[in-house]
Amino acid sequence: MTIETSVSNGIARLVLSRPEKRNAFDGGMIATITDILKEWSQLNDIRALVISAAGETFCAGADLGWMKRTANLDYQANRDDARKLAGMMEGIDHFPAPVITLVQGAAFGGALGIVCASDIVFASSDARFCLSEVRLGIIPAVISPYVIRVMGERAARRFMLTSELIDSQKALAMGFIHQLVDQPEDLPEQAEQVLTLLKNNSPAAVRACKQLIADVSGRPINSQLMEMTSEAIANIRQSSEGQEGLSAFLEKRSPAWQEKE
């Protein structure tokens, strides 16, 4: 089994479970993850998705055997294959609920795309990152929109071109991760703390806020943006959870979504 999945109490969990291959992904693994994300995206009761990995390595990137097979493909087949990886990255980036990713050990190549497409990332102090593609004569094309969005063009000009190793402290400073923990075994506890915070918030508002961030990021501040954001707040104020949240605040009680936990 290359992927382990579960959904319990509103939390979906996806575990990369191929430790003998350092959790490197191939075409089958990409297709499985993409299908799972599509299925879970339709479930409104999912409050968050946690992505983690078995073993000492988060993900070594692409499986060497898979890469060897792609080298023998023609242009169209290579393009189709790359689109599948792009679909998986898009599925993580556009997942309607918050995506929390836990990183231990190496996150190389395409694995850095998973990290940068996630909403919240925690890593252990032994974590290390690398955009290693140019060493292999290729480029980090499919993951580049997510990676450059996080690290910025200036940093990309260095680290994509040199393929140098990025340690956990530097990854924290560059924004790849939000927080470090001492040991890999501390990662689940850190995730649970954030999940508790998320569960205190309105599920509909959290989803709408994630979409708002995507809609606003990178856009110029103009009348069109102001109209869009005004419509967004009007819609959420009129929603059932918006009304419940305001009523609970005024009545000094817990909102219904907290009472149900």
Side-chain angles (χ1 to χ4, degrees):
M1 181 181 295
T2 59
I3 300 292
E4 297 177 9
T5 62
S6 65
V7 179
S8 178
N9 296 321
I11 307 303
R13 300 180 189 274
L14 189 155
V15 182
L16 308 181
S17 185
R18 203 184 180 204
E20 73 282 0
K21 294 290 186 178
R22 301 175 69 213
N23 295 314
F25 49 76
D26 57 14
M29 194 171 179
I30 289 169
T32 299
I33 293 174
T34 303
D35 289 344
I36 291 168
L37 293 174
K38 287 180 179 178
E39 178 184 344
W40 284 349
S41 292
Q42 304 304 311
L43 304 178
N44 291 328
D45 59 342
I46 288 182
R47 305 285 297 273
L49 164 62
V50 179
I51 300 176
S52 61
E56 298 180 353
T57 298
F58 175 71
C59 178
D63 177 86
L64 293 179
W66 177 54
M67 291 179 65
K68 184 176 180 180
R69 289 191 293 273
T70 62
N72 297 319
L73 300 177
D74 61 21
Y75 169 80
Q76 188 58 51
N78 256 299
R79 188 173 179 178
D80 292 342
D81 195 68
R83 281 176 173 168
K84 293 175 183 177
L85 178 60
M88 184 186 81
M89 295 298 171
E90 183 182 31
I92 297 170
D93 188 57
H94 290 183
F95 195 77
V99 178
I100 302 171
T101 293
L102 310 179
V103 180
Q104 79 280 6
F108 286 6
L112 203 46
I114 297 175
V115 169
C116 292
S118 302
D119 298 302
I120 303 170
V121 181
F122 300 112
S124 55
S125 58
D126 71 334
R128 57 198 189 280
F129 306 82
C130 184
L131 291 155
S132 54
E133 285 83 354
V134 293
R135 291 185 193 172
L136 307 175
I138 56 177
I139 56 176
V142 169
I143 66 171
S144 62
Y146 311 103
V147 174
I148 294 175
R149 181 178 64 189
V150 169
M151 74 190 311
E153 180 186 350
R154 187 63 174 169
R157 285 173 178 260
R158 172 177 175 176
F159 293 99
M160 281 189 174
L161 300 180
T162 63
S163 290
E164 62 190 282
L165 198 65
I166 302 168
D167 64 25
S168 59
Q169 289 291 341
K170 188 175 292 184
L172 179 65
M174 293 171 65
F176 284 140
I177 56 182
H178 292 95
Q179 189 170 331
L180 285 173
V181 300
D182 290 334
Q183 301 296 329
E185 53 266 29
D186 298 329
L187 288 168
E189 179 182 353
Q190 188 63 57
E192 290 304 317
Q193 292 179 20
V194 174
L195 290 172
T196 298
L197 294 175
L198 290 172
K199 285 185 174 183
N200 283 331
N201 301 331
S202 157
V206 168
R207 287 181 172 232
C209 193
K210 178 170 179 176
Q211 186 60 53
L212 176 70
I213 295 167
D215 291 341
V216 170
S217 295
R219 290 184 57 174
I221 301 175
N222 54 28
S223 59
Q224 288 79 16
L225 184 62
M226 293 302 96
E227 182 63 26
M228 186 272 286
T229 55
S230 297
E231 291 177 357
I233 187 61
N235 287 331
I236 201 71
R237 281 175 179 168
Q238 292 299 307
S239 69
S240 59
E241 288 189 13
Q243 293 290 303
E244 166 62 12
L246 181 59
S247 296
F249 176 75
L250 295 174
E251 297 166 11
K252 298 182 179 180
R253 61 174 175 81
S254 298
W257 56 81
Q258 290 183 20
E259 295 171 352
K260 292 176 181 178
E261 295 299 332

